Amino acid sequence: MSKLYLYSVISLIGFALTPITIQAQNLPDLGSPGLVIYDRQTEVSLGRAFTKALHTQFNLVNDPETLSYVRRIGHRIASHTHDGRNYRFYVIDDPAINAFAGPDGIIGIHSGLILAAESEDELASVIAHEIAHVTQEHLSRRFEQQNSLNITSFASLLAAILIGSQNPSAGIATIMGTTGLSLQEQLRHSRIHEHEADHQGISLLHRSGYNPYAMADFFGKLAKQYQLSEFRPPEILMTHPVTETRLAQASNRAHQLGTPKDLHDQINLLLIQQRLKKLGQTPTNYVTKETPYTNTINCYKQAIQAQSQQPNCLTDALYQHPNNRLLKTAQILYTESNTQTQLQQLEALHAIYPQDEALLLILARTYQQANLSKKAIRLLEMNRQNLLYQFEVNQELSLLYAQDDQLAEAYFYEASAFFTIGDIDRARYLARLSTKQNPTITSRLKKASSQLISALGLDEKAAE
């Protein structure tokens, strides 16, 4: 059965009508400025439950360099919101051209959308649009209508609908409730939300140094491409309906702001697209178009696919893009045959970008390959608390300790991983397994994760 978004649920975040909605009569209100917005504590709790659902029920892209790239764009844009939300960015392994905004600033980008974008500005425009759905409180206008569900159930069902990975029909009756607004009123509010997200998103885009025209260009290009197509349009056009009025208003807004100075390397998106194609998890028919960077892209593709030495072409590529992290990392991994030199260069690169989780994991894994597991563990333990995203690093630590037959530590860091995504029950279970393996583990690692121990009630007395 093909995936089908039901707008009556997706409107939870202010998205727009899909064809099946026309059959529905009881449509939930999109909200109005007069609605009481749910409080911050509820939003944070819902965001935590939503994050848990993402990690435990759906396929996420876990390639460190792809995640690092998307998150750099996302946080660069989110830094201009100043709304205090806990913005997080994830890549969903799905060929659909789509994106979504969840509670407490959880933004999801489908891998299919990354492959469909022709520039970083286009990708950034979608991310900015989703961030604007959050800043404009579009989800909060929906939440109080769904008070028959607890937070965990609501977040799980919301994730299923937004990602489109399963048929949500079983929960439709609960989600829709008994509201009786007309279809005309529903559509009016959805268009308001889309225009709000465009307006605010374009401003965020401009302040972040991206081309503000990219939003109208990307949506308009997709709409034109599928206008006369016999195939079903991509989900992003169904959840974000494009009209001539909307495109005109977006272009006018961009014109008012003007084009900022280009601050980013356009080759990065093309390199990341090669990484996604190499992963092979997302079926795609996208082909690499001819660009001024074609030779560099082909060189990078050969290097990451064959993992063979490509010294000449990568050296030439770095001459053109001397500060490009992706090319520099590839050169170190695939052209340097001396392990000690390789590690020294990765250490130097990590020192320049200490907050880059991708470089941290790459360096740790290179230590491990060089039979320096203890050095890898020490590196990750020293840096994990400074990272915004700790799930993957905690899992890496768990794996390293397990391979060294230190099961207490392995369970502890696996518990830490699940704790960071809000899966408290699993975290508590794994943490207690840790203390059973080694009763002194709590006191020994309390400094490393005092928040986990306190939250789970695993103090030193409980460990005994």
Side-chain angles (χ1 to χ4, degrees):
M1 179 181 294
S2 61
K3 302 171 186 174
L4 190 57
Y5 284 90
L6 300 179
Y7 171 67
S8 45
V9 183
I10 292 182
S11 63
L12 288 164
I13 57 172
F15 287 168
L17 289 170
T18 59
I20 198 169
T21 312
I22 299 174
Q23 303 172 18
Q25 298 301 315
N26 297 322
L27 297 171
D29 181 13
L30 268 170
S32 63
L35 281 179
V36 178
I37 296 173
Y38 61 2
D39 61 36
R40 186 76 181 101
Q41 183 178 356
T42 301
E43 184 177 12
V44 170
S45 298
L46 187 56
R48 189 180 300 115
F50 190 84
T51 303
K52 172 187 172 182
L54 287 185
H55 283 81
T56 57
Q57 299 176 29
F58 303 99
N59 294 325
L60 301 180
V61 171
N62 56 14
D63 174 56
E65 290 182 282
T66 298
L67 288 176
S68 179
Y69 170 69
V70 171
R71 287 167 175 172
R72 283 201 301 273
I73 297 173
H75 288 292
R76 174 174 165 180
I77 297 171
S79 68
H80 296 278
T81 62
H82 308 298
D83 62 359
R85 283 189 173 83
N86 190 29
Y87 285 95
R88 293 292 186 274
F89 301 88
Y90 299 98
V91 179
I92 313 302
D93 181 22
D94 193 309
I97 303 174
N98 204 15
F100 59 85
D104 197 27
I106 306 301
I107 308 296
I109 306 296
H110 287 222
S111 53
L113 187 141
I114 298 174
L115 289 166
E118 294 185 5
S119 70
E120 185 172 307
D121 294 278
E122 290 186 352
L123 174 58
S125 75
V126 176
I127 294 175
H129 182 94
E130 300 307 329
I131 290 174
H133 273 303
V134 178
T135 65
Q136 296 308 108
E137 309 282 4
H138 292 160
L139 178 59
S140 66
R141 300 180 193 182
R142 298 303 322 122
F143 178 74
E144 64 179 57
Q145 305 254 341
Q146 322 304 330
N147 55 19
S148 61
L149 290 176
N150 63 41
I151 283 179
T152 300
S153 299
F154 180 85
S156 296
L157 185 54
L158 178 60
I161 306 304
L162 293 178
I163 298 173
S165 63
Q166 64 187 62
N167 189 333
S169 58
I172 288 299
T174 307
I175 284 289
M176 288 179 61
T178 58
T179 57
L181 291 183
S182 68
L183 179 61
Q184 180 179 2
E185 184 72 3
Q186 178 74 23
L187 181 58
R188 183 179 72 81
H189 283 303
S190 71
R191 285 175 176 165
I192 289 174
H193 284 191
E194 285 306 304
H195 286 303
E196 284 181 356
D198 284 347
H199 185 87
Q200 296 300 324
I202 289 171
S203 296
L204 289 171
L205 205 60
H206 181 265
R207 291 201 294 271
S208 304
Y210 288 105
N211 182 359
Y213 288 95
M215 188 178 295
D217 290 346
F218 184 62
F219 283 108
K221 178 181 65 180
L222 287 178
K224 184 177 181 180
Q225 180 179 348
Y226 285 89
Q227 187 175 18
L228 300 176
S229 174
E230 60 182 288
F231 299 105
R232 180 173 178 266
E235 271 78 358
I236 198 166
L237 294 184
M238 301 176 72
T239 56
H240 302 67
V242 175
T243 64
E244 290 185 7
T245 300
R246 180 185 170 194
L247 293 177
Q249 290 180 345
S251 295
N252 182 57
R253 175 63 176 161
H255 179 73
Q256 294 173 1
L257 296 173
T259 304
K261 182 180 179 181
D262 185 6
L263 299 176
H264 50 281
D265 191 343
Q266 289 290 353
I267 200 174
N268 280 324
L269 174 67
L270 303 175
L271 298 177
I272 290 299
Q273 287 173 339
Q274 293 304 318
R275 297 195 67 82
L276 286 174
K277 291 175 183 178
K278 185 244 180 181
L279 290 173
Q281 295 171 305
T282 300
T284 175
N285 295 320
Y286 296 108
V287 296
T288 302
K289 298 181 179 179
E290 286 292 325
T291 74
Y293 313 117
T294 296
N295 290 338
T296 298
I297 300 305
N298 289 336
C299 172
Y300 186 77
K301 176 182 178 180
Q302 293 172 17
I304 64 174
Q305 287 186 345
Q307 296 189 358
S308 59
Q309 295 189 14
Q310 303 286 334
N312 294 329
C313 70
L314 282 173
T315 299
D316 292 342
L318 277 166
Y319 180 79
Q320 298 294 327
H321 306 271
N323 298 317
N324 189 283
R325 250 180 273 187
L326 292 165
L327 291 174
K328 184 62 179 175
T329 304
Q331 184 193 46
I332 295 171
L333 293 177
Y334 306 129
T335 70
E336 181 53 63
S337 57
N338 185 287
T339 302
Q340 187 60 35
T341 302
Q342 190 180 62
L343 286 170
Q344 290 174 352
Q345 292 179 352
L346 285 173
E347 288 168 349
L349 200 59
H350 169 62
I352 298 173
Y353 304 106
Q355 296 298 317
D356 192 330
E357 183 186 337
L359 286 173
L360 179 67
L361 287 170
I362 289 170
L363 177 56
R365 289 167 185 174
T366 306
Y367 278 140
Q368 183 187 10
Q369 292 167 6
N371 296 318
L372 297 171
S373 295
K374 285 184 171 54
K375 200 165 186 178
I377 289 172
R378 187 161 60 250
L379 172 74
L380 295 178
E381 288 184 336
M382 288 176 56
N383 288 275
R384 60 188 284 273
Q385 297 286 16
N386 298 323
L387 297 175
L388 194 57
Y389 299 86
Q390 297 183 16
F391 180 76
E392 290 83 2
V393 170
N394 281 325
Q395 285 204 317
E396 193 77 15
L397 276 165
S398 177
L399 178 63
L400 287 166
Y401 273 117
Q403 291 173 344
D404 201 31
D405 291 327
Q406 298 184 65
L407 296 184
E409 288 82 355
Y411 284 132
F412 184 88
Y413 280 112
E414 188 74 358
S416 297
F418 284 101
F419 178 74
T420 61
I421 62 169
D423 194 341
I424 303 301
D425 290 339
R426 191 177 302 190
R428 181 177 289 110
Y429 171 75
L430 289 165
R432 294 196 182 281
L433 285 180
S434 174
T435 59
K436 286 182 180 179
Q437 287 287 329
N438 182 351
T440 66
I441 190 72
T442 302
S443 58
R444 189 148 54 86
L445 294 179
K446 186 172 184 178
K447 190 175 182 180
S449 194
S450 58
Q451 187 182 18
L452 166 69
I453 292 172
S454 175
L456 301 185
L458 296 173
D459 56 19
E460 295 181 37
K461 183 177 181 180
E464 297 173 359

